[in-house]
Amino acid sequence: MTDSNATPARPVTGERADLLKELAQARYFLRFTARDLTDEQAGQRTTASELCVGGLIKHVTATERGWADFILEGPSALGDFDSMTEADFARRADEFRMLPGETLAGVLKEYEEVARRTDELVATLPSLDADQPLPKAPWFEPGARRSARRVLIHIVAETAQHAGHADIIRESLDGAKSMG
């Protein structure tokens, strides 16, 4: 059902359309690695790392949410690395695994909600040139800033990288591949 009084959405074209298409493709391949998996399989480690398909989707979800918040709110959205506690680091590590009670369906649903929010941000942000200062962290150059455009490119790259990780894990689970 649609609202007949709603203003039609302006079509997304150009650079924004390209960003959305690349992000959609990377997301597709990440989600595709989870096809037909049980919750147990989604949480299964198949390599020496702690990574599992469900955990990678959780991590990409959290990363995309955090960077989208950064575009809107600035460095506070990413947190203060220097004030992180052991409990904070443990919660971050939990992003990479399926916890008791979590389901693949639930993880995928949350990812879909975050993706929808990011897509809306790409379509409606007044300028992709808008930038924010990065928080202090060992992996950021002191005083550096990131534009919305660069953050979105980072989200695409992060999603694609982890889709590749998930593909390796999936192939190790049951021989299924995303491509080929």
mmCIF file of all heavy atoms in Angstrom, residues 93-121:
data_model
loop_
_atom_site.group_PDB
_atom_site.id
_atom_site.type_symbol
_atom_site.label_atom_id
_atom_site.label_comp_id
_atom_site.label_asym_id
_atom_site.label_seq_id
_atom_site.Cartn_x
_atom_site.Cartn_y
_atom_site.Cartn_z
ATOM 1 N N ALA A 93 34.471 -8.021 19.517
ATOM 2 C CA ALA A 93 34.830 -9.366 19.062
ATOM 3 C C ALA A 93 33.576 -10.213 18.808
ATOM 4 O O ALA A 93 33.565 -11.065 17.908
ATOM 5 C CB ALA A 93 35.739 -10.042 20.081
ATOM 6 N N ASP A 94 32.506 -9.961 19.568
ATOM 7 C CA ASP A 94 31.254 -10.703 19.380
ATOM 8 C C ASP A 94 30.596 -10.394 18.043
ATOM 9 O O ASP A 94 29.725 -11.152 17.591
ATOM 10 C CB ASP A 94 30.275 -10.408 20.520
ATOM 11 C CG ASP A 94 30.634 -11.131 21.803
ATOM 12 O OD1 ASP A 94 31.457 -12.075 21.756
ATOM 13 O OD2 ASP A 94 30.095 -10.743 22.861
ATOM 14 N N GLU A 95 30.991 -9.293 17.406
ATOM 15 C CA GLU A 95 30.457 -8.968 16.076
ATOM 16 C C GLU A 95 30.855 -10.022 15.058
ATOM 17 O O GLU A 95 30.222 -10.145 14.022
ATOM 18 C CB GLU A 95 31.018 -7.632 15.566
ATOM 19 C CG GLU A 95 30.492 -6.403 16.191
ATOM 20 C CD GLU A 95 31.172 -5.159 15.624
ATOM 21 O OE1 GLU A 95 31.944 -5.245 14.641
ATOM 22 O OE2 GLU A 95 30.915 -4.090 16.183
ATOM 23 N N PHE A 96 31.924 -10.749 15.316
ATOM 24 C CA PHE A 96 32.474 -11.668 14.332
ATOM 25 C C PHE A 96 31.990 -13.103 14.513
ATOM 26 O O PHE A 96 32.479 -14.002 13.838
ATOM 27 C CB PHE A 96 34.008 -11.634 14.387
ATOM 28 C CG PHE A 96 34.581 -10.340 13.883
ATOM 29 C CD1 PHE A 96 34.879 -9.308 14.767
ATOM 30 C CD2 PHE A 96 34.799 -10.141 12.535
ATOM 31 C CE1 PHE A 96 35.408 -8.116 14.312
ATOM 32 C CE2 PHE A 96 35.330 -8.939 12.067
ATOM 33 C CZ PHE A 96 35.630 -7.936 12.960
ATOM 34 N N ARG A 97 31.061 -13.325 15.442
ATOM 35 C CA ARG A 97 30.570 -14.689 15.646
ATOM 36 C C ARG A 97 29.085 -14.652 15.959
ATOM 37 O O ARG A 97 28.544 -13.630 16.348
ATOM 38 C CB ARG A 97 31.350 -15.394 16.742
ATOM 39 C CG ARG A 97 31.310 -14.732 18.082
ATOM 40 C CD ARG A 97 32.324 -15.363 19.045
ATOM 41 N NE ARG A 97 32.130 -14.806 20.380
ATOM 42 C CZ ARG A 97 31.468 -15.401 21.345
ATOM 43 N NH1 ARG A 97 30.908 -16.576 21.152
ATOM 44 N NH2 ARG A 97 31.340 -14.834 22.523
ATOM 45 N N MET A 98 28.463 -15.790 15.750
ATOM 46 C CA MET A 98 27.052 -15.929 16.090
ATOM 47 C C MET A 98 26.979 -16.274 17.570
ATOM 48 O O MET A 98 27.621 -17.221 18.027
ATOM 49 C CB MET A 98 26.410 -17.043 15.263
ATOM 50 C CG MET A 98 26.386 -16.777 13.762
ATOM 51 S SD MET A 98 25.068 -15.656 13.249
ATOM 52 C CE MET A 98 23.650 -16.709 13.471
ATOM 53 N N LEU A 99 26.219 -15.515 18.320
ATOM 54 C CA LEU A 99 26.074 -15.734 19.751
ATOM 55 C C LEU A 99 24.873 -16.646 20.017
ATOM 56 O O LEU A 99 23.961 -16.736 19.186
ATOM 57 C CB LEU A 99 25.890 -14.399 20.461
ATOM 58 C CG LEU A 99 27.037 -13.398 20.304
ATOM 59 C CD1 LEU A 99 26.679 -12.073 20.957
ATOM 60 C CD2 LEU A 99 28.320 -13.967 20.889
ATOM 61 N N PRO A 100 24.854 -17.298 21.167
ATOM 62 C CA PRO A 100 23.696 -18.142 21.503
ATOM 63 C C PRO A 100 22.399 -17.330 21.392
ATOM 64 O O PRO A 100 22.327 -16.188 21.837
ATOM 65 C CB PRO A 100 23.973 -18.554 22.949
ATOM 66 C CG PRO A 100 25.464 -18.473 23.092
ATOM 67 C CD PRO A 100 25.879 -17.313 22.212
ATOM 68 N N GLY A 101 21.418 -17.911 20.753
ATOM 69 C CA GLY A 101 20.126 -17.252 20.581
ATOM 70 C C GLY A 101 20.018 -16.433 19.304
ATOM 71 O O GLY A 101 18.921 -16.052 18.913
ATOM 72 N N GLU A 102 21.136 -16.139 18.663
ATOM 73 C CA GLU A 102 21.072 -15.400 17.403
ATOM 74 C C GLU A 102 20.742 -16.360 16.269
ATOM 75 O O GLU A 102 21.163 -17.518 16.284
ATOM 76 C CB GLU A 102 22.397 -14.693 17.112
ATOM 77 C CG GLU A 102 22.669 -13.536 18.033
ATOM 78 C CD GLU A 102 23.962 -12.815 17.721
ATOM 79 O OE1 GLU A 102 24.926 -13.451 17.249
ATOM 80 O OE2 GLU A 102 24.011 -11.603 17.976
ATOM 81 N N THR A 103 20.008 -15.847 15.310
ATOM 82 C CA THR A 103 19.651 -16.644 14.145
ATOM 83 C C THR A 103 20.165 -15.955 12.890
ATOM 84 O O THR A 103 20.329 -14.732 12.861
ATOM 85 C CB THR A 103 18.124 -16.809 14.010
ATOM 86 O OG1 THR A 103 17.545 -15.512 13.773
ATOM 87 C CG2 THR A 103 17.522 -17.454 15.263
ATOM 88 N N LEU A 104 20.390 -16.747 11.871
ATOM 89 C CA LEU A 104 20.805 -16.176 10.594
ATOM 90 C C LEU A 104 19.717 -15.252 10.058
ATOM 91 O O LEU A 104 20.010 -14.164 9.561
ATOM 92 C CB LEU A 104 21.125 -17.292 9.593
ATOM 93 C CG LEU A 104 21.562 -16.825 8.206
ATOM 94 C CD1 LEU A 104 22.799 -15.931 8.276
ATOM 95 C CD2 LEU A 104 21.812 -18.038 7.307
ATOM 96 N N ALA A 105 18.458 -15.652 10.198
ATOM 97 C CA ALA A 105 17.355 -14.804 9.735
ATOM 98 C C ALA A 105 17.380 -13.450 10.451
ATOM 99 O O ALA A 105 17.175 -12.406 9.826
ATOM 100 C CB ALA A 105 16.016 -15.501 9.949
ATOM 101 N N GLY A 106 17.633 -13.460 11.743
ATOM 102 C CA GLY A 106 17.695 -12.212 12.502
ATOM 103 C C GLY A 106 18.867 -11.344 12.084
ATOM 104 O O GLY A 106 18.732 -10.116 11.965
ATOM 105 N N VAL A 107 20.011 -11.962 11.854
ATOM 106 C CA VAL A 107 21.199 -11.229 11.416
ATOM 107 C C VAL A 107 20.948 -10.599 10.046
ATOM 108 O O VAL A 107 21.265 -9.429 9.811
ATOM 109 C CB VAL A 107 22.425 -12.177 11.401
ATOM 110 C CG1 VAL A 107 23.600 -11.571 10.661
ATOM 111 C CG2 VAL A 107 22.818 -12.559 12.822
ATOM 112 N N LEU A 108 20.357 -11.368 9.142
ATOM 113 C CA LEU A 108 20.068 -10.846 7.800
ATOM 114 C C LEU A 108 19.021 -9.733 7.839
ATOM 115 O O LEU A 108 19.111 -8.765 7.079
ATOM 116 C CB LEU A 108 19.615 -11.977 6.880
ATOM 117 C CG LEU A 108 20.720 -12.941 6.450
ATOM 118 C CD1 LEU A 108 20.128 -14.195 5.804
ATOM 119 C CD2 LEU A 108 21.713 -12.262 5.514
ATOM 120 N N LYS A 109 18.040 -9.856 8.716
ATOM 121 C CA LYS A 109 17.009 -8.818 8.835
ATOM 122 C C LYS A 109 17.633 -7.505 9.314
ATOM 123 O O LYS A 109 17.331 -6.431 8.781
ATOM 124 C CB LYS A 109 15.912 -9.260 9.790
ATOM 125 C CG LYS A 109 14.784 -8.245 9.911
ATOM 126 C CD LYS A 109 13.664 -8.771 10.787
ATOM 127 C CE LYS A 109 12.493 -7.827 10.703
ATOM 128 N NZ LYS A 109 12.173 -7.167 11.907
ATOM 129 N N GLU A 110 18.498 -7.588 10.309
ATOM 130 C CA GLU A 110 19.157 -6.373 10.798
ATOM 131 C C GLU A 110 20.025 -5.754 9.703
ATOM 132 O O GLU A 110 20.052 -4.535 9.534
ATOM 133 C CB GLU A 110 19.995 -6.680 12.034
ATOM 134 C CG GLU A 110 20.595 -5.422 12.641
ATOM 135 C CD GLU A 110 21.309 -5.668 13.960
ATOM 136 O OE1 GLU A 110 21.266 -6.781 14.491
ATOM 137 O OE2 GLU A 110 21.933 -4.703 14.438
ATOM 138 N N TYR A 111 20.713 -6.586 8.938
ATOM 139 C CA TYR A 111 21.539 -6.082 7.838
ATOM 140 C C TYR A 111 20.671 -5.369 6.804
ATOM 141 O O TYR A 111 21.025 -4.299 6.318
ATOM 142 C CB TYR A 111 22.318 -7.242 7.202
ATOM 143 C CG TYR A 111 23.312 -6.822 6.151
ATOM 144 C CD1 TYR A 111 24.104 -5.691 6.293
ATOM 145 C CD2 TYR A 111 23.483 -7.579 5.000
ATOM 146 C CE1 TYR A 111 25.021 -5.325 5.326
ATOM 147 C CE2 TYR A 111 24.410 -7.229 4.038
ATOM 148 C CZ TYR A 111 25.175 -6.091 4.199
ATOM 149 O OH TYR A 111 26.090 -5.736 3.237
ATOM 150 N N GLU A 112 19.520 -5.939 6.504
ATOM 151 C CA GLU A 112 18.598 -5.322 5.545
ATOM 152 C C GLU A 112 18.131 -3.944 6.032
ATOM 153 O O GLU A 112 18.052 -2.989 5.252
ATOM 154 C CB GLU A 112 17.397 -6.240 5.327
ATOM 155 C CG GLU A 112 16.402 -5.740 4.312
ATOM 156 C CD GLU A 112 15.232 -6.703 4.140
ATOM 157 O OE1 GLU A 112 15.444 -7.920 4.178
ATOM 158 O OE2 GLU A 112 14.095 -6.200 3.971
ATOM 159 N N GLU A 113 17.848 -3.829 7.326
ATOM 160 C CA GLU A 113 17.406 -2.547 7.889
ATOM 161 C C GLU A 113 18.514 -1.497 7.813
ATOM 162 O O GLU A 113 18.264 -0.342 7.461
ATOM 163 C CB GLU A 113 16.940 -2.744 9.327
ATOM 164 C CG GLU A 113 15.653 -3.538 9.431
ATOM 165 C CD GLU A 113 15.343 -4.036 10.833
ATOM 166 O OE1 GLU A 113 16.077 -3.694 11.789
ATOM 167 O OE2 GLU A 113 14.361 -4.792 10.983
ATOM 168 N N VAL A 114 19.731 -1.889 8.138
ATOM 169 C CA VAL A 114 20.863 -0.959 8.063
ATOM 170 C C VAL A 114 21.105 -0.557 6.609
ATOM 171 O O VAL A 114 21.344 0.617 6.315
ATOM 172 C CB VAL A 114 22.120 -1.582 8.706
ATOM 173 C CG1 VAL A 114 23.366 -0.774 8.385
ATOM 174 C CG2 VAL A 114 21.928 -1.678 10.220
ATOM 175 N N ALA A 115 21.037 -1.508 5.701
ATOM 176 C CA ALA A 115 21.243 -1.225 4.285
ATOM 177 C C ALA A 115 20.207 -0.233 3.764
ATOM 178 O O ALA A 115 20.537 0.706 3.036
ATOM 179 C CB ALA A 115 21.198 -2.525 3.477
ATOM 180 N N ARG A 116 18.963 -0.421 4.154
ATOM 181 C CA ARG A 116 17.888 0.479 3.714
ATOM 182 C C ARG A 116 18.168 1.904 4.207
ATOM 183 O O ARG A 116 18.026 2.873 3.468
ATOM 184 C CB ARG A 116 16.543 -0.031 4.233
ATOM 185 C CG ARG A 116 15.349 0.721 3.691
ATOM 186 C CD ARG A 116 13.989 0.130 4.082
ATOM 187 N NE ARG A 116 13.938 -0.701 5.258
ATOM 188 C CZ ARG A 116 13.873 -2.048 5.249
ATOM 189 N NH1 ARG A 116 13.870 -2.705 4.118
ATOM 190 N NH2 ARG A 116 13.802 -2.725 6.382
ATOM 191 N N ARG A 117 18.619 2.015 5.447
ATOM 192 C CA ARG A 117 18.931 3.332 6.022
ATOM 193 C C ARG A 117 20.105 3.982 5.278
ATOM 194 O O ARG A 117 20.062 5.175 4.953
ATOM 195 C CB ARG A 117 19.258 3.187 7.499
ATOM 196 C CG ARG A 117 19.655 4.494 8.151
ATOM 197 C CD ARG A 117 19.943 4.285 9.637
ATOM 198 N NE ARG A 117 20.443 5.503 10.226
ATOM 199 C CZ ARG A 117 21.661 5.649 10.731
ATOM 200 N NH1 ARG A 117 22.517 4.643 10.713
ATOM 201 N NH2 ARG A 117 22.034 6.778 11.250
ATOM 202 N N THR A 118 21.140 3.207 4.978
ATOM 203 C CA THR A 118 22.288 3.754 4.257
ATOM 204 C C THR A 118 21.878 4.184 2.852
ATOM 205 O O THR A 118 22.280 5.252 2.377
ATOM 206 C CB THR A 118 23.433 2.722 4.185
ATOM 207 O OG1 THR A 118 23.808 2.356 5.509
ATOM 208 C CG2 THR A 118 24.639 3.289 3.458
ATOM 209 N N ASP A 119 21.090 3.371 2.177
ATOM 210 C CA ASP A 119 20.639 3.716 0.831
ATOM 211 C C ASP A 119 19.856 5.024 0.839
ATOM 212 O O ASP A 119 20.015 5.868 -0.053
ATOM 213 C CB ASP A 119 19.792 2.601 0.237
ATOM 214 C CG ASP A 119 20.600 1.360 -0.102
ATOM 215 O OD1 ASP A 119 21.848 1.397 -0.014
ATOM 216 O OD2 ASP A 119 19.968 0.336 -0.447
ATOM 217 N N GLU A 120 19.017 5.201 1.825
ATOM 218 C CA GLU A 120 18.262 6.449 1.946
ATOM 219 C C GLU A 120 19.209 7.628 2.176
ATOM 220 O O GLU A 120 19.029 8.699 1.600
ATOM 221 C CB GLU A 120 17.256 6.344 3.090
ATOM 222 C CG GLU A 120 16.372 7.580 3.219
ATOM 223 C CD GLU A 120 15.342 7.434 4.323
ATOM 224 O OE1 GLU A 120 14.777 6.347 4.490
ATOM 225 O OE2 GLU A 120 15.106 8.442 5.019
ATOM 226 N N LEU A 121 20.224 7.415 2.987
ATOM 227 C CA LEU A 121 21.216 8.463 3.239
ATOM 228 C C LEU A 121 21.925 8.853 1.940
ATOM 229 O O LEU A 121 22.079 10.042 1.644
ATOM 230 C CB LEU A 121 22.224 7.980 4.285
ATOM 231 C CG LEU A 121 23.346 8.933 4.669
ATOM 232 C CD1 LEU A 121 22.787 10.204 5.303
ATOM 233 C CD2 LEU A 121 24.315 8.230 5.621
#
